[in-house]
Structures are given as structure tokens and as C-alpha cells.
Amino acid sequence: MAVKIGFIGTGGIANNHLRNLANIEGAEVIAFCDLVLERAEEAAKSWNDARAYNNVDQMLDDRKLDAVYLCLPPMAHGEAELKVIERGIPFLVEKPIGLDREVPDNILKKINEKNLMNAVGFQWRYHPAVKRAQEILKEAEIGMALGYWLGGLPKTPWWRVKHLSGGQFVEQTIHMTDTLRYLCGEVTEVYAAYGSRILHKRVENMTAPDVGSVTMKLANGGVATISNSCILPQGSGLTGLNIYTDQGTIEVRGNGLRFLKGKNDVEDLPMNVQAHALEDVEFIKALQTGDRSYILSDYADAIKTHEIVVAANESAESGQPVKLRA
Ligand SMILES: NC(=O)c1ccc[n+]([C@@H]2O[C@H](COP(=O)([O-])OP(=O)(O)OC[C@H]3O[C@@H](n4cnc5c(N)ncnc54)[C@H](O)[C@@H]3O)[C@@H](O)[C@H]2O)c1
């Protein structure tokens, strides 16, 4: 069954999704909207019968869409989602879903009023390494977890400006926070320490911290710390989540999983997969069948991950631990 799709925001991540959708049977992207019309026009060139817009209402009124991808920067969320929801169109929105609590709370309320199918771009949940970790954890008791997102500075100009992106923990490391929740359960309390060590001296407009650690209490009694930095030369960092259990250490990474069970007892599973692509396949299946179980992250769940990163920023600001809303 053909699924007619529109895009709002046609920058970096939109192009990732578009490359995936081009390989999915039945996915037809017929409308592109960006503040910068030329970007929407450029994207439209690769798709049959596609039109470009720089106004969301115009796009939604002009084309009959079965789904919308919202690929907006963190500070741009709110209005576009509400326009899509008002028209009852299912959507996939990229993380982070906003910068504060008010915008996502209002969006969730409107989604619930319409009981609308939706997805949030936490693609790690679709990664086979995460699926294997889930299996291992059925037989293991979690003690604690250490997550890390250690890399270089992304090039998008808004990323480095704290009030536009929320900073690295909100913008990027949120993937590890979501993976932590998915594998280890809910977080109840957060304490964060951030620093600006190097990049604010070298990079214009760099107001986001460049190092940070966030310590969390888990509902199951465990603890977790997730640290991030963007000071590293490209290619010299590491991203992942280590989970320490009574059965051994599980290391979940983008390129696979290692399960260290004891001396000379290691399960090593290298994996060459694009989790984004898996996420898009499942979202299109959900649209085609109406079966929401293909979607592993929806707004109602993602807002709980969002709550953690917002609380982390508040804690870093105040120097005090922050308890999460129940
Ligand atoms: N899931 C992932 O792994 C992943 C990876 C990269 C980026 N992202 C997320 O995707 C989002 C976008 O990132 P990006 O790298 O594509 O940014 P980008 O700056 O490359 O693209 C964003 C686009 O949105 C457009 N835009 C801004 N406000 C708009 C509005 N109100 N209406 C229409 N268009 C608007 C901009 O003009 C720009 O073309 C970010 O939140 C980022 O965190 C997710």
C-alpha cells in the first residue's frame, strides 16, 4: 500500500530518512517544507510528483498526506506538530521533542485527544544490539549502568548555542538516556555537573557546555551515570551504554554488543546496521497496517526521556538534584 509522506524540515537528518525511504516499498514522499525554500526544492527534485513549500499550512492544505516527518531543530518544535495533529495526520518527530516541558506536554495532550499514531526518533531501540541486551537482561539483575557520548562538535550552527539546542545532553546524549530507560527502567532523580573547558575559547557562539556528567537514581534501586563531551577530534570518541549485572557486563554500542561473562567468556557480536533505516521500515509498516506495535518509541513514552534531560539541565544550573515528575 502506498503511503504518501510530507517532510517538515529538510536538513541533515531529513536526508538520512529520505535515503532510507527511497528503499522502502510503498513509501512516496510528495511534499517538502523548509523555512529555506531552496532546501525543500532541492529535496523535492529526487521524488516523483513532489512539491516544495516554505509554509507548513500551505503544504498540509495542498497535499493529502498519510504521514509527516518532522525534522526540526530543538527550538523549532510546537506549532508544526500542532498543525499536523489538528489535521489528524500520523507523524514521526525527531528527538529532542523540545527544550522545555510546556511544548511537549501540550503536544501530548493534543495527540491523546485525537488518539493519533506517532513515533519519536529514538532509533537505538530498533538496533539488534539493544534487542540482544534486552534478551540478556531477562536472565540478569541490573546493578548499575555507565553511558557515554564522547565525540566532536556537530557542524549545524544552532547546536553549539545552548538556548537553541539545549546543549549536548538534551540534543545528542538523549539517545543514551532513552536507551538506559528502555533497558534498565525508569529514572526517579537526576544530578548533573556540566563544564565549559575548551570550545568556548575556540568556537564562536559556543555557549553549550563541552563536558558533563549526569548521575541518575533508577526506580529499581540501581544507579546510572551518563557522561558526554564534544571536545574530541572527529573519530577519536566512543558512544554506548555499559550495563553491569550479576551475570556480567553488557556493552551496547552502535557497532554491536559485547557481553563479558567471565574470564575468557565473552559474547562478541559486531553489527553493521543503520538503526535509522530499521526505524523507518517499522514506521512505514505501522502506517500500512495500522498496527502501532511496530513503533518502539512514541510521544507518550519519549516525553519521559525528555523529562530526564530537562531535569539534568535544571540540576546543572542549580547545583541541586532534581526529582522527576511521577
Ligand atoms: N535521530 C538521530 O540520530 C538524529 C541525528 C541527527 C539529527 N537529529 C535531530 O534532528 C533534528 C534536526 O537536525 P538536523 O541535523 O537535520 O538540523 P538541520 O539544521 O540540518 O536541519 C533542520 C532544518 O529545519 C529547517 N527549519 C527550522 N525551523 C523550521 C520550521 N519552523 N519550519 C520548517 N523548517 C524549519 C531548517 O531550515 C533546516 O533546514 C534535531 O533535533 C536533531 O537532534 C536526530
Side-chain angles (χ1 to χ4, degrees):
M1 181 190 118
V3 178
K4 299 206 182 299
I5 301 166
F7 267 71
I8 302 177
T10 59
I13 192 63
N15 282 301
N16 260 25
H17 287 298
L18 288 165
R19 276 192 295 276
N20 300 333
L21 292 172
N23 293 320
I24 299 176
E25 184 80 30
E28 295 177 10
V29 188
I30 60 160
F32 294 89
C33 177
D34 199 288
L35 283 184
V36 184
L37 182 61
E38 294 74 38
R39 275 185 210 152
E41 287 172 341
E42 189 55 37
K45 278 185 196 161
S46 310
W47 292 81
N48 284 339
D49 185 35
R51 294 183 206 155
Y53 307 81
N54 62 0
N55 178 295
V56 172
D57 283 313
Q58 263 175 21
M59 176 176 96
L60 298 177
D61 292 340
D62 190 36
R63 306 242 72 180
K64 173 137 185 30
L65 299 173
D66 301 313
V68 169
Y69 275 67
L70 292 125
C71 298
L72 297 168
M75 70 298 191
H77 289 283
E79 261 187 45
E81 283 93 330
L82 295 180
K83 289 172 193 288
V84 170
I85 295 166
E86 195 180 281
R87 290 164 172 88
I89 307 172
F91 65 93
L92 182 150
V93 60
E94 270 301 340
K95 43 51 67 180
I97 53 179
L99 291 171
D100 58 13
R101 293 187 179 85
E102 289 71 27
V103 167
D105 279 357
N106 189 35
I107 291 171
L108 181 59
K109 190 167 142 258
K110 302 288 180 193
I111 291 171
N112 287 342
E113 282 168 15
K114 295 257 179 186
N115 187 22
L116 197 60
M117 183 188 289
N118 68 85
V120 178
F122 285 122
Q123 75 275 4
W124 281 70
R125 291 182 175 218
Y126 300 84
H127 197 296
V130 171
K131 294 204 185 304
R132 177 68 191 122
Q134 269 183 321
E135 277 169 24
I136 296 168
L137 288 169
K138 281 187 197 146
E139 310 292 328
E141 194 147 4
I142 295 167
M144 58 178 284
L146 292 176
Y148 34 93
W149 195 291
L150 304 165
L153 182 66
K155 292 200 180 67
T156 29
W158 49 262
W159 197 95
R160 67 199 57 170
V161 185
K162 172 94 187 303
H163 72 272
L164 299 180
S165 71
Q168 187 176 13
F169 201 74
V170 170
E171 217 293 322
Q172 201 170 44
T173 316
I174 193 168
H175 279 300
M176 283 307 108
T177 311
D178 187 67
T179 307
L180 172 76
R181 272 192 61 237
Y182 193 52
L183 292 176
C184 302
E186 297 301 338
V187 169
T188 57
E189 193 173 334
V190 171
Y191 171 74
Y194 297 166
S196 288
R197 289 284 304 139
I198 295 170
L199 295 183
H200 68 289
K201 292 182 274 190
R202 300 184 186 167
V203 178
E204 211 182 341
N205 293 329
M206 179 82 196
T207 54
D210 59 8
V211 293
S213 281
V214 179
T215 296
M216 289 161 264
K217 285 187 185 169
L218 304 180
N220 63 15
V223 292
T225 296
I226 300 183
S227 294
N228 60 198
S229 177
C230 51
I231 62 170
L232 294 171
Q234 298 293 345
S236 70
L238 196 61
T239 297
L241 182 71
N242 294 359
I243 303 169
Y244 301 92
T245 78
D246 62 347
Q247 301 300 310
T249 300
I250 308 165
E251 296 178 355
V252 177
R253 304 253 174 89
N255 62 0
L257 175 135
R258 281 181 80 206
F259 180 25
L260 294 94
K261 292 178 256 191
K263 205 171 172 203
N264 303 323
D265 190 4
V266 180
E267 177 184 330
D268 213 343
L269 300 174
M271 293 167 183
N272 182 16
V273 289
Q274 288 293 329
H276 278 129
L278 302 174
E279 171 190 58
D280 286 324
V281 166
E282 299 303 298
F283 183 54
I284 299 301
K285 272 192 217 158
L287 291 165
Q288 286 172 329
T289 60
D291 181 351
R292 297 181 187 196
S293 68
Y294 289 113
I295 297 169
L296 301 185
S297 170
D298 67 5
Y299 211 94
D301 188 82
I303 208 165
K304 295 182 190 161
T305 298
H306 184 70
E307 170 78 11
I308 298 170
V309 298
V310 170
N313 276 10
E314 287 170 353
S315 171
E317 188 82 17
S318 70
Q320 300 299 317
V322 175
K323 284 195 168 37
L324 299 191
R325 293 186 292 188

